[in-house]
Amino acid sequence: MLQQTTVKAVLPYYNAFLKQFPDVNALSKAKESDVLKMWAGLGYYSRAKSLYKASQVIARKGFPDNYQELIQLPGLGPYTSRAIASAAFGEKVGVLDGNSIRFLSRVHGLKLEWWKTAGRNKLQEFADRWADCDDPANINQALMEMGATICLPQNPQCMLCPFLKDCQAKKKGFIEKLPLKKPKREIETWLWQPLVHLQEGKVLIVKNDYAPFLKDQWFLPGKAKRQKTPPQKYDFTHTITHHKIYVKLRVPIQKGSRTVTPRAEAHWISPNHLNDYSPASLMKKVFDRVKY
Ligand code: SF4
């Protein structure tokens, strides 16, 4: 829930979520649509889906107690599985986050493309070496704290640093150059032309198999095309991660005749039931603009 937001913003969602699903078994038995409803407003809906899927695995097999099994759970990547394995089970595995990457890159003088697999693996070896001790949980925490409080991105507090004498970046004078900068992800411009099929006050929704944003979620039929430049005509814009979406609504007039043959995964829904299917704010923006 804390992805790209603050604890303060998340707390009401967190408390409501736990009230609804007090433990892993309750979550595993819920309907996915109910889980998504409790997540509505937080964005990153694939996380809610992964959490839900992971709860079903855990309810069946129990909670894994090591990194190799933790990382098999839906939604758990190297960071989360290593953090849990070391903090909860004392496994000697290092944790890489932005802060520990900065500290390790500088103290060992590593000019690595840490966002690529080879660079990441090399850094992981260093982190694992640090964690190969009696207290891997605290070492992992310490590496992250070093980056968060002393080895800052700008103006690192080298005079307060316990590693000042051994720091390679300091010795060679390239602190500011490390870690290497990850190239920015290109913003993609898209024109999305959703078709709002209306019939007796209901709207047709389908599973999204054609647009790269909100993939596999309940969506409107239509077309999405990547653009070199922003289109001239559109109704509104919306941004999802690196997709800048120009939305041009198309509302075909249908007088009673059923001109649309829905695919297998399709529903006619009342606009006030949208949240049961899609909590995405992009969908809400479209539905708010249609006259039923
Ligand atoms: S000496 Fe400075 S650059 Fe090196 S690890 Fe410490 S704070 Fe970071």
Side-chain angles (χ1 to χ4, degrees):
M1 283 186 181
L2 285 165
Q3 174 92 356
Q4 303 278 327
T5 186
T6 60
V7 172
K8 196 174 164 213
V10 156
L11 272 177
Y13 291 96
Y14 179 74
N15 290 331
F17 194 90
L18 280 197
K19 203 168 169 205
Q20 183 84 359
F21 312 114
D23 57 37
V24 75
N25 286 319
L27 182 60
S28 71
K29 287 182 194 143
K31 281 200 286 187
E32 188 186 81
S33 56
D34 289 337
V35 177
L36 288 173
K37 223 188 282 177
M38 297 306 292
W39 202 272
L42 283 167
Y44 299 91
Y45 296 101
S46 59
R47 296 188 153 225
K49 289 183 175 187
S50 296
L51 186 66
Y52 174 57
K53 280 189 203 140
S55 76
Q56 293 175 325
V57 179
I58 294 168
R60 227 175 31 247
K61 297 186 180 171
F63 200 92
D65 65 357
N66 61 76
Y67 162 65
Q68 293 297 349
E69 287 178 29
L70 279 159
I71 201 166
Q72 307 294 326
L73 288 175
L76 264 71
Y79 171 80
T80 317
S81 13
R82 284 168 174 272
I84 295 172
S86 64
F89 306 113
E91 194 172 343
K92 295 177 181 184
V93 284
V95 171
L96 289 178
D97 75 341
N99 289 317
S100 63
I101 287 173
R102 183 166 54 256
F103 168 68
L104 290 170
S105 300
R106 288 177 176 168
V107 80
H108 295 296
L110 306 170
K111 288 185 185 171
L112 293 170
E113 293 179 317
W114 50 269
W115 56 94
K116 293 186 180 169
T117 311
R120 192 85 176 184
N121 289 346
K122 195 83 206 152
L123 257 173
Q124 189 65 63
E125 281 173 27
F126 280 89
D128 285 348
R129 253 182 259 164
W130 280 80
D132 189 11
C133 65
D134 292 339
D135 195 354
N138 264 329
I139 283 293
N140 279 330
Q141 190 64 42
L143 296 185
M144 293 189 277
E145 289 295 323
M146 276 300 298
T149 59
I150 307 278
C151 196
L152 301 166
Q154 270 89 44
N155 303 322
Q157 307 292 298
C158 299
M159 298 315 286
L160 301 175
C161 178
F163 303 96
L164 176 61
K165 280 195 191 139
D166 300 315
C167 176
Q168 295 301 310
K170 181 78 180 164
K171 268 186 201 160
K172 294 171 185 163
F174 48 63
I175 295 176
E176 285 75 24
K177 292 203 170 67
L178 292 179
L180 296 186
K181 289 219 174 7
K182 182 181 177 181
K184 280 218 167 71
R185 193 165 189 182
E186 189 194 349
I187 300 289
E188 296 180 7
T189 303
W190 284 80
L191 174 63
W192 179 43
Q193 295 176 280
L195 270 170
V196 186
H197 288 295
L198 274 172
Q199 193 166 297
E200 292 157 15
K202 293 194 170 179
V203 179
L204 181 75
I205 56 168
V206 295
K207 276 277 166 97
N208 173 17
D209 60 0
Y210 67 93
F213 37 89
L214 303 179
K215 193 100 187 114
D216 298 327
Q217 299 195 33
W218 288 111
F219 208 52
L220 288 156
K223 52 185 181 181
K225 200 163 180 254
R226 193 165 171 190
Q227 310 284 303
K228 285 203 177 86
T229 51
Q232 300 286 317
K233 289 186 180 166
Y234 56 90
D235 294 302
F236 65 94
T237 64
H238 187 84
T239 301
I240 299 177
T241 60
H242 62 293
H243 300 108
K244 169 109 193 211
I245 307 158
Y246 290 80
V247 184
K248 180 91 190 85
L249 297 177
R250 293 187 295 156
V251 187
I253 310 291
Q254 292 175 60
K255 291 191 176 146
S257 62
R258 188 169 284 235
T259 55
V260 178
T261 311
R263 286 173 279 172
E265 283 203 296
H267 283 295
W268 289 92
I269 64 162
S270 299
N272 49 3
H273 286 157
L274 173 64
N275 244 351
D276 294 347
Y277 291 89
S278 172
S281 44
L282 173 59
M283 289 288 280
K284 187 173 178 327
K285 279 187 183 176
V286 173
F287 273 59
D288 284 351
R289 281 167 170 80
V290 176
K291 292 191 180 66
Y292 300 98

